[in-house]
Amino acid sequence: VNISGPGVKAINMIVHDNGGNGFGVWSQAPDAEVYGSVVYNNGRQRVTSGYAHGIYTQNDQGSKLFQDNIVFHQFGYGIHAYAEEGSIAHMTFDGNVSFDNGVGTTDPEKAQPDLFVGGMTPLRDVTITNNMTWHVGYGGGSVWIGYASCRCTGAGVVLQHNYFVGGTPVLRLESLAGVRATWNTLVGPGRKASIIEESGAPAEFFWRGNIYYGDETEREFQWDGDTYTFAAWRSSTGFGARDGYGGPRPVDTRVFVRPNRYEPGRANVVVYDWDGTSSVSVDLSNVLQPGDAYEIRNVQSWFAAPVAAGVYTGALVPFPMTPVVPPAPQGGWVVTPPLTEPRFGAFVVLRR
């Protein structure tokens, strides 16, 4: 889907198995929006390794909104906001789920990120809130903001209430300034330089209320090439004074329910089940009314039968966390991603 007209809205679409980008949303499309779409298996496959992405975008005038999309198993990046001579400005990424992208490389340690916002021009007015990732079982960074070739002074980047899991590192902040990182959760694999990798102007970084999981004795934090434990990173850089370390991994099941703004009775449901149980009960009272017939679709088996269905009574609804084998790309896998269930599942609830 190639968007080059102002004000275009792409809503609740299913976009898969394209040889290029799933969505291309360009500077000629000010005030465009991509919302509630399921995007998977896009990219060049074996023709050009790691090329083409789930969502590729740039922006100059007006604004752009990318909200509540579920993006996975691209051969390149999941969401890729990048420009060399263009602009990356006035963009909001909110409530998106991006997981296990970068399957177009034969080296699983170099898998492309799930979310990338950066380029050779400064970032301006970029908001990244309430997004979720899962990048577990193979390498590469999960979230990458900024770019080494750009000293992006005064970038104006807001990172807030995101839940980022996996990758090496989980979060890369490169050559940035003007960053506010607050109330985010980052879950790392417990290796060196695996949670945060940073470079930029430290006086212009603001941190508060973030929580990290991994191996607190490991040098998981990197600043300008040097690695630190969590305690040493805080004392050496001044970052993270009001952050916390939560242990090896979260212990509570986390469920995110995102009601659809355009379709009543529809919602994205994302489950992080750290205990790996067979099902997780979810409160859908802000999505359905008693008496509504509904179905639950696992996004990794969208065109198969629903994984659950019923009539809503007002009680908690069980979501099955049984492993689902995702659809193979039409050209076949370059590297096959690991199954995500029972620890992670992304679903769409539909009223019927």
Side-chain angles (χ1 to χ4, degrees), residues 75-77 100-105 107-114 135 138-142 168 335:
F75 283 83
Y77 295 56
D100 283 355
N101 293 286
V103 296
T105 173
D107 183 353
E109 289 301 310
K110 296 180 180 179
Q112 306 286 15
D114 297 309
H135 202 87
Y138 58 104
S142 180
T168 306
V335 57

Side-chain angles (χ1 to χ4, degrees), residues 80-331:
H80 186 256
Y82 173 80
E84 296 182 357
E85 297 180 356
S87 181
I88 307 170
H90 317 305
M91 308 182 83
T92 297
F93 303 87
D94 179 68
N96 301 288
V97 188
S98 188
F99 65 92
D100 283 355
N101 293 286
V103 296
T105 173
T106 56
D107 183 353
E109 289 301 310
K110 296 180 180 179
Q112 306 286 15
D114 297 309
L115 172 61
F116 173 78
V117 182
M120 297 183 183
T121 57
L123 308 183
R124 294 180 289 120
D125 183 25
V126 175
T127 300
I128 302 169
T129 52
N130 304 304
N131 299 283
M132 296 147 275
T133 67
W134 177 269
H135 202 87
V136 175
Y138 58 104
S142 180
V143 180
W144 182 358
I145 314 297
Y147 201 63
S149 301
C150 175
R151 293 294 173 183
C152 298
T153 305
V157 175
V158 173
L159 283 164
Q160 189 173 64
H161 293 299
N162 300 288
Y163 199 92
F164 296 149
V165 178
T168 306
V170 180
L171 174 62
R172 176 181 288 121
L173 299 170
E174 196 165 37
S175 298
L176 284 174
V179 177
R180 295 183 62 87
T182 57
W183 311 110
N184 302 288
T185 298
L186 278 66
V187 183
R191 300 198 297 264
K192 183 177 179 180
S194 62
I195 290 185
I196 292 180
E197 178 185 318
E198 302 163 291
S199 62
E204 296 190 36
F205 279 67
F206 179 85
W207 297 85
R208 177 176 292 173
N210 305 290
I211 187 167
Y212 311 99
Y213 293 89
D215 182 349
E216 197 169 0
T217 67
E218 182 59 84
R219 301 165 73 91
E220 298 169 304
F221 296 79
Q222 181 171 324
W223 173 260
D224 276 347
D226 295 324
T227 56
Y228 306 88
T229 63
F230 176 58
W233 172 72
R234 292 203 297 179
S235 62
S236 298
T237 66
F239 301 148
R242 299 184 181 183
D243 292 357
Y245 207 97
R249 65 170 177 83
V251 295
D252 297 328
T253 298
R254 287 296 302 271
V255 178
F256 298 90
V257 179
R258 304 275 303 183
N260 195 283
R261 288 195 292 114
Y262 292 98
E263 185 177 332
R266 176 173 177 151
N268 291 349
V269 176
V270 181
V271 178
Y272 293 87
D273 181 9
W274 296 105
D275 291 329
T277 57
S278 59
S279 70
V280 171
S281 296
V282 177
D283 181 359
L284 296 179
S285 60
N286 62 342
V287 181
L288 300 170
Q289 298 293 323
D292 285 345
Y294 69 88
E295 64 184 38
I296 300 171
R297 293 193 172 272
N298 188 312
V299 298
Q300 296 187 74
S301 59
W302 185 265
F303 293 107
V307 294
V311 176
Y312 182 63
T313 64
L316 298 179
V317 175
F319 277 62
M321 297 298 292
T322 306
V324 169
V325 178
Q330 290 185 7

